[in-house]
């Protein structure tokens, strides 16, 4: 089972060591051009993301496997639009945790946070059309394929299609507890756990 909690400095160190300069993954998951960034640099996307209250355009979490307490990756809601009550979601798994089907659980937990806690009306996933892991995780979590943006993304020297998947609050079927326990080392925020 996966939980989400506030990122800690030790998480950021791990993300910078394992994800920051993974050029292949970053080229495929970020719309900005990849460039090398030194760990600890102010240019690191993992630093300087302090919450700014309800007006923040992004909310970033550490994703943790609850049974073992292991950090598996990061998860975020971004492009938050408070007026229209929607947001985009994204996940990034540490290399050792890829291929273990944790993405679906992380997406479900993000949905619980977005729909039940934040009151969003719609959540959206934007990913490359050949990112079968993310498409599978999103569809297993209840997202519907809504369309394809042809040759939308410049990736590693060529254009690639991007797909849009969406889920409305009325399509989301919550069940179970909405908040998990605060565990030692989790930081100041309780874990948000999946409810289905």
């Amino acid at each position: 089972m996966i939980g989400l909690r506030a990122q800690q400095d030790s998480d950021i160190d791990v993300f910078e060591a394992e994800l920051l300069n993974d050029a292949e993954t970053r080229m495929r998951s970020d719309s900005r051009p990849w460039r090398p960034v030194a760990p600890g640099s102010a240019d690191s996307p993992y630093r300087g993301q302090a919450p700014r209250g309800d007006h923040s355009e992004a909310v970033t979490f550490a994703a943790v496997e609850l049974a073992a307490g292991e950090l598996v990756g990061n998860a975020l809601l971004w492009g938050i639009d408070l007026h229209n009550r929607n947001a985009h979601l994204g996940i990034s798994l540490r290399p050792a945790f890829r291929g273990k089907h944790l993405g679906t659980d992380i997406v479900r937990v993000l949905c619980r946070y977005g729909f039940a806690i934040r009151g969003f009306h719609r959540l959206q996933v934007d990913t490359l059309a050949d990112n079968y892991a993310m498409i599978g995780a999103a569809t297993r979590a209840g997202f519907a394929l809504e369309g394809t943006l042809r040759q939308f993304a410049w990736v590693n020297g060529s254009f690639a299609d991007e797909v849009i998947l969406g889920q409305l609050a009325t399509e989301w079927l919550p069940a179970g507890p909405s908040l998990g326990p605060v565990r030692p080392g989790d930081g100041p925020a309780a874990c948000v756990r999946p409810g289905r």
Side-chain angles (χ1 to χ4, degrees):
M1 184 175 285
I2 295 293
L4 300 179
R5 62 166 168 73
Q7 284 187 358
Q8 302 168 2
D9 288 342
S10 58
D11 300 331
I12 294 169
D13 293 340
V14 172
F15 294 150
E16 288 182 341
E18 296 185 21
L19 302 174
L20 183 62
N21 287 308
D22 177 353
E24 288 300 317
T25 300
R26 295 225 37 109
M27 280 189 289
R28 297 179 51 75
S29 64
D30 196 328
S31 62
R32 298 168 292 192
W34 179 82
R35 62 187 177 89
V37 176
S41 165
D43 291 334
S44 168
Y46 302 106
R47 296 191 183 272
Q49 297 180 2
R52 293 174 286 166
D54 284 343
H55 302 291
S56 177
E57 290 185 17
V59 179
T60 306
F61 298 96
V64 179
E65 199 286 312
L66 293 176
E70 285 194 80
L71 176 68
V72 301
N74 74 331
L76 74 152
L77 292 179
W78 59 276
I80 294 173
D81 180 340
L82 294 175
H83 176 71
N84 294 302
R85 294 178 39 213
N86 62 56
H88 302 256
L89 65 86
I91 65 175
S92 184
L93 296 175
R94 295 173 57 200
F97 294 94
R98 295 176 189 162
K100 298 183 182 213
H101 301 285
L102 299 172
T104 302
D105 230 8
I106 296 171
V107 171
R108 286 180 176 148
V109 180
L110 282 169
C111 287
R112 175 168 284 295
Y113 176 76
F115 292 133
I117 295 173
R118 293 295 298 262
F120 292 131
H121 174 67
R122 172 189 162 78
L123 294 176
Q124 178 172 311
V125 172
D126 311 61
T127 192
L128 295 177
D130 65 352
N131 186 350
Y132 306 115
M134 186 64 198
I135 294 167
T139 55
R140 285 188 296 274
F143 282 75
L145 181 63
E146 296 181 334
T148 301
L149 303 173
R150 297 179 308 136
Q151 296 187 9
F152 183 79
W154 180 253
V155 179
N156 205 17
S158 63
F159 285 101
D161 292 350
E162 186 169 285
V163 295
I164 306 296
L165 299 101
Q167 185 172 162
L168 302 177
T170 55
E171 298 166 339
W172 179 66
L173 303 172
S178 62
L179 290 176
V182 175
R183 296 173 183 239
D186 281 352
C191 290
V192 179
R193 299 188 316 185
R196 327 188 244 177

